[in-house]
Amino acid sequence: MLFGYLIRKLRFLTSYRNIQHQSGNSANEETKVEKQNEIKIQKSLHENLKNLKNILCDSQDLNVHSIRFGSESQFSAAIVFFDGMIDNPTLTDGILRPLMLWGMGKKEDPDDTDLLNILEQEVVCASTVTKEEALSELAAGCLCGETVLLVDGCMGGLVINTKGWEKRSVTEPASETVVRGPREGFTENLRTNTSLIRRKIRNGQLKLEQLKVGEKTQTTVCLMYLEGVANPKIVEEVQYRISQLDVESILESGYIEEYIEDAPFSPFSTVDYSEKPDVVAARILEGRIAIVVDGTPFVLTVPMLFIESFQTAEDYYVRPMYASLLRIIRFIAYFITVFAPAVYIALNSFHHELIPTTLLFTFAKAREGTPFPVFVEALIMIFAFEILREAGVRLPRPVGQAISIVGALIMGDAAVSAGIVGAPMVITIAITAVAGFLVPSQTDSGSMLRVVMMIPAAVLGLYGVAFGFLGMLVHLASLESFGVPYFDSFSNTRDMQDTLIRAPLWAMTRRPKGIARGDMTRGHFFIPPLRPFASDKHQEDDAQEGGES
Amino acid sequence: MRLDKSQISGTRFMFTITFFLQSSALLTAFLSSVAQQDSWIPVVLSTISCMPLVYLFRTLMVMFPEKTLLEMMDEVFGPVIGKIFGVWYLWFFLTLAALNLKDLGDFAKATVMTETPHVVLVLLCALVVVWAVRHGLKVVTRYSALFTFIEFGIVAVTFVLVAHQMDFNNLLPAFQLPPIKYLQGTHLMTMIPVGELVVMLMLTPCVKLSRTAATKYWFIGVTMGMLTLFAILVRDIMILGNTLPMFTLPGLVTMRLVNLGEALSRIEILFAVGLTMLLFFKVAVLCYASTIALAQLFKTKSYKNFALIIGVLVVVYGPIIYSSTVEQSTSARDVIPFFWGVFEVWIPLLMFIIAKIRKLPKKTAENPREQEPQPPPRRRVKEEHMK
């Protein structure tokens, strides 16, 4: 509430300042635009090269290679590219060789106006060749890893696709490993990622839209969704939010996430991400929209529902009963990771009568030698655990073992025997910490909320925990992700097929209600026969055999 | 003018009604002090006798589909008398909310937190309620279905667990009390849980219902709620018998008796969970109604900032209504049912009659609910941007 108020005021202030700024600078900007327009392409190759180098600040990795070609080498030209951004064999085979060999047996030479067209259509061998007449476009082409061909005497240049740079190959993602299921993961290359998704969904309805975001980085951002399945309103909303971005740089999809999410001050994230093509493909098939950002293997998907954190790819690859069991375990684990320390504090400080007597004695014995109140004890342990976890993530791998030894022996055992914390507390925090990892995408919200929940528990006992829980439910109910209620699947009876349990695949015939529009059915409902491949003949055989025996 | 833009579905509205009734189910002491071991008879009788009342509410809702109770009164009685009645209703909702919140605080203080000041317990609940109310009806009623099913589950589970201790003889002697007691009990049940549903008229603009759907959801909702009440009362009577009127919270005592071997005992925590949930929800709905009422009385454009004011009022108003628990239960038995009748029966009935005489609502010859609903004007500005 308070944050919302502050943000409204801030937004008003900044917009007010922007308006003033713009009105003051409008004259200035016009001259700037004119200046850019001034640099036009000219007939002279020398002039063009000079201007192009000027635009690109005469960078050292800009390669300019002058060539002469034609039947009598009468045309002089230059190819311009950035070193390391292009694929050398393509450059040689697709551009240089055809150019050198062209015109050997020709009798008449084309004039200057036709020359570029002929080069574009007949000579250069590359997947895409475009003719551009603005120098800024040519420069932009160079920056993308394309090769620019300028010919003396021609008003224009060719931008030829020769993109090729070092990239990581498709490997198993480190963050989402599976026992069963495809092992490929996204890479840092946008095209590889989109092709990985398209290879999963070979359908013409899969639509891809490209946007450029970031004033300096010019990062390509792709939206992928199933036309006719995804809700057009949500698609429009996503397009609007991304196209409105006025930022300098986008280095990772986390940037996009932070700029477009609905609830920036909530502990729960309202945009989901994945590193696995099969997960993203499944979400697209449910009617969600994938946002692929160049330069990162993490693909965002919107809208996100709370339940998505509890669904893993493997749920759908193993048999439904076991998958349902796992999912219920995940719910309990999340509950534990948020509420276990709070409940322990509440029981220990207020509700001794609720603990079985023998356990109470154990607790009392453990509490006897410890100096701090149970709340402080819990804080110390949680803090220590978070430190250990962070250290484990950041440290180089060989040192990691040392950390685990320090954590296990010193933090656990020694702290108890030295009498700083009680053994039951160590157990509580340990189960809390381990349970948190069962739901990876809610780890952050879990570790924040468990500290928040400890406060009402320390003040008002279980009564406080109950209202902390109700408050959390209220907050969850108030969240929305791109117009879809975040907690919808729990109050929508029709989506129950994939919440608390995972129904068999043949029973999940409808897409989630809140997300998809239009084509809602996934397939026909059918109950698989007990022996799907048993034809009538075999059944007769069986019957006969049965009769004989 | 609609203050709250959120829309809830008919099913959710139905569960809201059910849950609202269920929340009275755990506090039936005042009924059992009147009708003793025959308490289940007034429940059955009142289920029948409340139907005309429910039909009245449903009719008002269908007649003025875009208006809350206060706006209806403005239209029917005219702005001046409508406003006077509006202030009365605001007081009525506030009192109900304060009483229910006080009940919750009393329960918590009596059972778990004996040394904590009452106001602290109540304040925490009020804060969460205010938070929910600020987010609108969507959030307030979000969990109605879930909570209803949990409540059904709790009743069913306890029914099974105490089955072996039930004694049908506890229901005897039946029909032995003087008839006036049954009448009083029926009147009580009609006024206190069912009549309070008048608060649902404050939610009207947020619920999209056709005429038939309104009838369906109102009656199913009320019936489900009364069934729960009936089940709980029968269970408690069969377990506790004649001792029933001695307890302020018979449900808690019943659950305390559950003892199946070593494994299942001390499940009265379930009762506590249920009660907290139920009263929280009821207070939230009542606070929401008061907030909307306050905002409409002052003709403001937003209601959100009133939520905190209502929350504070409810917290400070609760403890000063009655000086003692005895006074509260006496008044709940003898005074309140007649007094609340003014708000729950007579004013709505008067409104209905006057509306019929004045042939209101005028403009809408047909039911506007059955016309094509307009698409919400969300995103209008942004669409222009896109172009």
Side-chain angles (χ1 to χ4, degrees):
Chain A
M1 288 184 245
L2 188 69
F3 274 132
Y5 181 75
L6 279 178
I7 283 173
R8 272 205 302 282
K9 292 293 164 211
L10 277 176
R11 198 176 287 161
F12 172 75
L13 260 182
T14 44
S15 65
Y16 181 72
R17 209 183 279 164
N18 273 349
I19 290 165
Q20 281 198 330
H21 193 70
Q22 277 171 8
S23 58
N25 282 2
S26 56
N28 227 341
E29 273 174 24
E30 275 171 29
T31 51
K32 218 187 247 172
V33 171
E34 275 175 25
K35 217 186 224 171
Q36 278 186 345
N37 284 349
E38 267 175 26
I39 312 170
K40 277 181 185 158
I41 204 151
Q42 281 153 4
K43 283 212 163 186
S44 148
L45 176 66
H46 183 67
E47 283 291 308
N48 281 342
L49 280 178
K50 209 178 88 188
N51 287 336
L52 195 59
K53 273 185 185 169
N54 249 340
I55 291 176
L56 297 173
C57 294
D58 207 3
S59 186
Q60 295 277 312
D61 57 349
L62 185 73
N63 274 12
V64 180
H65 178 43
S66 298
I67 49 172
R68 300 184 74 80
F69 64 95
S71 49
E72 291 152 19
S73 300
Q74 71 273 51
F75 303 114
S76 64
I79 49 175
V80 186
F81 58 89
F82 272 108
D83 201 14
M85 300 275 283
I86 57 137
D87 186 36
N88 264 325
T90 322
L91 182 71
T92 328
D93 294 340
I95 303 171
L96 288 177
R97 187 163 297 153
L99 271 181
M100 297 299 183
L101 297 179
W102 174 68
M104 279 308 173
K106 286 261 166 86
K107 289 190 177 147
E108 50 186 291
D109 287 327
D111 55 350
D112 293 349
T113 48
D114 265 355
L115 182 60
L116 270 186
N117 284 336
I118 290 171
L119 285 180
E120 182 190 347
Q121 286 157 14
E122 293 177 14
V123 183
V124 175
C125 310
S127 56
T128 49
V129 182
T130 44
K131 205 171 129 188
E132 295 289 352
E133 295 192 346
L135 267 181
S136 56
E137 290 290 325
L138 296 177
C142 273
L143 290 168
C144 289
E146 281 159 340
T147 302
V148 170
L149 176 67
L150 290 167
V151 184
D152 195 22
C154 292
M155 293 284 278
L158 293 183
V159 179
I160 303 152
N161 182 9
T162 51
K163 282 178 200 169
W165 47 75
E166 291 303 316
K167 52 196 168 197
R168 195 164 63 93
S169 59
V170 177
T171 51
E172 186 174 1
S175 66
E176 294 165 74
T177 46
V178 287
V179 176
R180 179 170 179 183
R183 296 243 156 76
E184 60 188 4
F186 289 122
T187 69
E188 280 77 6
N189 190 24
L190 177 90
R191 264 302 147 249
T192 317
N193 293 351
T194 54
S195 69
L196 280 173
I197 297 173
R198 197 172 273 287
R199 258 170 41 205
K200 298 267 176 204
I201 310 171
R202 287 173 204 183
N203 192 310
Q205 282 179 308
L206 181 66
K207 192 172 166 184
L208 194 149
E209 281 175 35
Q210 281 199 357
L211 299 158
K212 284 241 192 262
V213 189
E215 195 194 340
K216 291 264 189 297
T217 56
Q218 291 288 325
T219 313
T220 317
V221 175
C222 276
L223 304 185
M224 290 185 91
Y225 56 91
L226 274 182
E227 181 90 16
V229 174
N231 188 347
K233 264 191 187 159
I234 300 177
V235 174
E236 196 179 291
E237 178 78 41
V238 176
Q239 284 167 344
Y240 169 73
R241 287 192 198 180
I242 293 181
S243 62
Q244 283 302 98
L245 288 186
D246 181 21
V247 292
E248 193 188 61
S249 57
I250 300 290
L251 293 180
E252 213 268 341
S253 52
Y255 281 49
I256 297 271
E257 177 182 351
E258 206 168 304
Y259 286 125
I260 67 170
E261 70 184 339
D262 285 71
F265 292 111
S266 167
F268 300 98
S269 65
T270 47
V271 177
D272 208 357
Y273 64 85
S274 177
E275 222 182 330
K276 283 167 65 62
D278 52 326
V279 174
V280 173
R283 287 184 188 155
I284 288 176
L285 284 170
E286 279 187 340
R288 290 192 173 83
I289 302 154
I291 304 170
V292 192
V293 180
D294 195 12
T296 174
F298 290 95
V299 172
L300 305 177
T301 51
V302 291
M304 181 199 184
L305 300 183
F306 185 64
I307 184 71
E308 252 178 275
S309 323
F310 298 89
Q311 300 166 335
T312 64
E314 237 173 317
D315 277 1
Y316 305 92
Y317 306 148
V318 300
R319 295 171 62 245
M321 300 247 283
Y322 184 56
S324 307
L325 175 71
L326 282 182
R327 189 164 292 173
I328 291 166
I329 287 174
R330 251 174 250 134
F331 278 108
I332 296 170
Y334 187 66
F335 198 81
I336 286 176
T337 197
V338 175
F339 290 103
V343 169
Y344 181 78
I345 289 171
L347 287 180
N348 242 315
S349 15
F350 293 96
H351 311 284
H352 292 148
E353 75 280 1
L354 285 177
I355 311 173
T357 323
T358 37
L359 188 62
L360 186 63
F361 282 134
T362 321
F363 280 179
K365 216 180 279 170
R367 296 276 309 124
E368 211 173 31
T370 52
F372 303 112
V374 67
F375 177 68
V376 178
E377 216 173 272
L379 269 187
I380 292 172
M381 284 310 288
I382 286 181
F383 194 58
F385 165 70
E386 293 293 330
I387 289 174
L388 277 177
R389 189 177 65 133
E390 192 59 18
V393 175
R394 303 283 162 245
L395 268 178
R397 218 151 272 170
V399 199
Q401 283 190 338
I403 285 298
S404 54
I405 291 168
V406 168
L409 293 184
I410 297 173
M411 307 304 282
D413 201 29
V416 174
S417 51
I420 294 173
V421 291
M425 178 53 84
V426 176
I427 297 170
T428 313
I429 298 300
I431 186 76
T432 307
V434 174
F437 291 115
L438 259 72
V439 190
S441 60
Q442 294 291 353
T443 312
D444 46 352
S445 74
S447 48
M448 277 185 272
L449 284 174
R450 79 171 70 112
V451 182
V452 175
M453 289 298 164
M454 275 159 56
I455 296 164
V459 179
L460 281 169
L462 281 182
Y463 182 80
V465 178
F467 276 98
F469 183 50
L470 278 173
M472 188 177 133
L473 285 183
V474 166
H475 176 65
L476 277 170
S478 69
L479 284 180
E480 276 194 353
S481 173
F482 291 83
V484 180
Y486 191 57
F487 216 51
D488 209 18
S489 28
F490 289 101
S491 46
N492 238 340
T493 36
R494 240 189 54 195
D495 291 345
M496 279 297 187
Q497 58 180 3
D498 201 11
T499 46
L500 279 177
I501 55 152
R502 200 277 277 171
L505 290 177
W506 42 264
M508 286 199 279
T509 51
R510 312 278 289 175
R511 293 180 216 280
K513 195 182 163 199
I515 299 164
R517 279 285 177 282
D519 184 15
M520 291 294 289
T521 49
R522 271 168 171 164
H524 300 293
F525 177 85
F526 68 97
I527 296 172
L530 290 175
R531 291 181 59 191
F533 303 111
S535 65
D536 294 344
K537 197 184 160 223
H538 284 128
Q539 280 173 6
E540 279 166 21
D541 287 353
D542 280 1
Q544 279 174 3
E545 276 168 29
E548 279 165 20
S549 66
Chain B
M1 182 185 62
R2 277 182 59 190
L3 285 167
D4 188 358
K5 301 282 189 296
S6 52
Q7 280 285 351
I8 62 170
S9 68
T11 357
R12 198 181 284 177
F13 180 67
M14 177 178 84
F15 282 120
T16 309
I17 293 174
T18 310
F19 201 62
F20 203 81
L21 285 178
Q22 283 178 345
S23 57
S24 315
L26 299 167
L27 299 165
T28 48
F30 55 88
L31 176 63
S32 32
S33 69
V34 173
Q36 314 282 338
Q37 76 276 15
D38 279 348
S39 296
W40 58 276
I41 299 169
V43 176
V44 177
L45 289 178
S46 65
T47 311
I48 300 160
S49 72
C50 76
M51 287 306 168
L53 187 61
V54 173
Y55 191 73
L56 173 67
F57 293 157
R58 171 255 162 208
T59 313
L60 283 174
M61 208 166 156
V62 174
M63 274 167 82
F64 303 97
E66 296 294 323
K67 288 188 160 52
T68 66
L69 181 61
L70 264 70
E71 289 168 318
M72 290 178 205
M73 287 194 299
D74 269 1
E75 190 169 329
V76 175
F77 298 125
V80 179
I81 304 176
K83 281 281 177 304
I84 295 172
F85 281 161
V87 176
W88 283 11
Y89 266 102
L90 175 62
W91 173 80
F92 173 59
F93 295 146
L94 261 180
T95 313
L96 280 183
L99 283 176
N100 280 299
L101 196 61
K102 185 172 175 291
D103 280 342
L104 179 62
D106 286 345
F107 170 74
K109 194 165 166 55
T111 51
V112 276
M113 312 295 291
T114 40
E115 284 163 41
T116 315
H118 182 269
V119 66
V120 178
L121 299 170
V122 167
L123 198 66
L124 182 66
C125 177
L127 276 178
V128 181
V129 165
V130 167
W131 198 15
V133 170
R134 281 181 66 96
H135 287 301
L137 188 65
K138 229 181 194 172
V139 174
V140 172
T141 59
R142 165 77 79 192
Y143 298 109
S144 54
L146 187 71
F147 286 175
T148 308
F149 284 120
I150 293 178
E151 187 54 31
F152 279 149
I154 291 178
V155 173
V157 164
T158 50
F159 225 102
V160 172
L161 290 181
V162 294
H164 65 290
Q165 298 178 22
M166 283 182 180
D167 188 358
F168 279 97
N169 291 329
N170 279 339
L171 290 173
L172 299 173
F175 305 105
Q176 294 287 315
L177 294 172
I180 189 76
K181 289 279 179 191
Y182 296 113
L183 191 65
Q184 191 190 353
T186 311
H187 184 233
L188 251 171
M189 283 313 282
T190 315
M191 285 307 151
I192 290 189
V194 187
E196 283 171 5
L197 287 175
V198 73
V199 72
M200 293 297 154
L201 292 180
M202 292 299 291
L203 319 182
T204 324
C206 297
V207 195
K208 256 199 180 2
L209 289 179
S210 69
R211 191 174 279 267
T212 48
T215 320
K216 191 177 92 185
Y217 290 136
W218 265 100
F219 283 104
I220 295 180
V222 171
T223 315
M224 284 202 298
M226 292 309 259
L227 266 179
T228 328
L229 266 167
F230 179 72
I232 290 173
L233 264 171
V234 167
R235 181 195 72 194
D236 290 354
I237 295 168
M238 290 209 285
I239 297 288
L240 300 173
N242 277 332
T243 53
L244 180 69
M246 288 163 56
F247 303 109
T248 39
L249 294 167
L252 187 68
V253 182
T254 310
M255 295 207 192
R256 206 165 262 169
L257 288 175
V258 171
N259 196 354
L260 279 186
E262 290 285 303
L264 275 171
S265 56
R266 307 194 59 93
I267 59 160
E268 65 259 32
I269 189 86
L270 276 183
F271 181 83
V273 168
L275 189 107
T276 314
M277 235 164 45
L278 290 156
L279 285 181
F280 166 77
F281 183 80
K282 194 170 181 184
V283 171
V285 172
L286 286 165
C287 277
Y288 174 80
S290 331
T291 311
I292 295 283
L294 189 61
Q296 279 177 345
L297 280 177
F298 289 114
K299 294 202 164 152
T300 53
K301 280 184 183 141
S302 157
Y303 66 95
K304 293 197 171 169
N305 293 330
F306 284 122
L308 197 59
I309 298 172
I310 293 289
V312 172
L313 276 178
V314 166
V315 169
V316 292
Y317 183 39
I320 58 169
I321 301 176
Y322 296 115
S323 53
S324 71
T325 332
V326 181
E327 193 188 334
Q328 184 180 354
S329 56
T330 318
S331 122
R333 197 177 61 217
D334 300 334
V335 185
I336 290 289
F338 298 97
F339 188 36
W340 275 183
V342 177
F343 298 102
E344 292 165 355
V345 184
W346 304 121
I347 293 179
L349 194 62
L350 190 68
M351 195 158 71
F352 175 69
I353 293 168
I354 292 180
K356 277 288 167 209
I357 293 170
R358 291 182 58 194
K359 296 205 168 57
L360 290 170
K362 271 170 191 159
K363 273 181 252 166
T364 50
E366 284 182 27
N367 191 355
R369 280 294 157 80
E370 281 155 17
Q371 290 166 9
E372 197 62 23
Q374 284 184 344
R378 201 177 153 263
R379 251 335 121 234
R380 187 64 52 82
V381 187
K382 292 188 173 178
E383 275 165 19
E384 280 164 17
H385 272 291
M386 291 294 286
K387 283 165 196 167

